């Protein structure tokens, strides 16, 4: 079964990768590479405080930061822009477009991160809809 943009986010979720607030830029970069993901939640699944993406890592390094001294808490994006599991994929695609972001954490009604959706995850549903199913 192929997903379409009318389907719900919960059907496309990938488990979130979590890093601590005191993880260094180097450590975050290593985690993103090892997990083969483009973003990680900062904090815990129960208490997320931000998100770090490949773009954030590059921005930190490009501005001359010491990769072993600067922490995720210092270069993360906060507050988190999130979706709910019941949101339609199309709404998440518009959210990403409007906010100029490529990763959206998915949070339940208690504020716990249950997964993450990337622009890449939305590619197949976009193509299925564009090509008429």
């Amino acid at each position: 079964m192929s997903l379409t943009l009318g389907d719900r986010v919960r059907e496309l979720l990938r488990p979130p990768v979590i890093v601590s607030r005191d993880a260094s830029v180097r450590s975050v970069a290593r985690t993103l590479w090892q997990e083969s993901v483009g973003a990680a939640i900062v904090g815990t699944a129960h208490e997320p405080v931000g998100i770090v993406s490949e773009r954030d890592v590059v921005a930190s390094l490009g501005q001359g930061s010491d990769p072993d001294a600067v922490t995720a808490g210092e270069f993360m994006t906060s507050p988190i822009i999130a979706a709910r599991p019941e949101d339609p994929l199309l709404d998440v695609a518009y959210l990403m477009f409007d906010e100029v972001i490529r990763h959206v954490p998915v949070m339940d009604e208690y504020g716990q991160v249950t997964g993450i959706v990337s622009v890449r995850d939305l590619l197949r549903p976009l193509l299925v809809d564009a090509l008429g199913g």
Side-chain angles (χ1 to χ4, degrees):
M1 178 181 99
S2 290
L3 294 174
T4 67
L5 290 175
D7 288 315
R8 304 296 172 190
V9 169
R10 68 177 168 267
E11 299 171 55
L12 192 62
L13 286 183
R14 287 181 296 112
V17 171
I18 311 283
V19 296
S20 71
R21 190 180 202 138
D22 62 349
S24 68
V25 174
R26 184 182 309 278
S27 174
V28 170
R30 184 179 305 112
T31 298
L32 295 176
W33 174 73
Q34 287 173 333
E35 297 292 330
S36 192
V37 296
I41 301 300
V42 180
T44 69
H46 298 289
E47 292 184 34
V49 294
I51 186 168
V52 291
S53 69
E54 295 163 321
R55 246 195 286 188
D56 296 324
V57 170
V58 169
S60 179
L61 295 174
Q63 294 170 18
S65 296
D66 179 342
D68 296 311
V70 175
T71 66
E74 295 173 293
F75 76 97
M76 68 184 179
T77 299
S78 184
I80 295 173
I81 297 170
R84 299 274 185 202
E86 65 277 0
D87 289 346
L89 293 176
L90 182 60
D91 290 356
V92 176
Y94 275 118
L95 177 66
M96 288 178 174
F97 183 78
D98 291 343
E99 298 293 333
V100 193
I101 56 177
R102 293 183 274 183
H103 303 88
V104 174
V106 179
M107 300 173 92
D108 65 17
E109 64 271 16
Y110 305 107
Q112 180 172 333
V113 178
T114 59
I116 194 162
V117 175
S118 73
V119 121
R120 186 176 185 178
D121 297 328
L122 293 175
L123 187 55
R124 183 175 300 278
L126 281 166
L127 289 172
V128 167
D129 276 5
L131 298 173

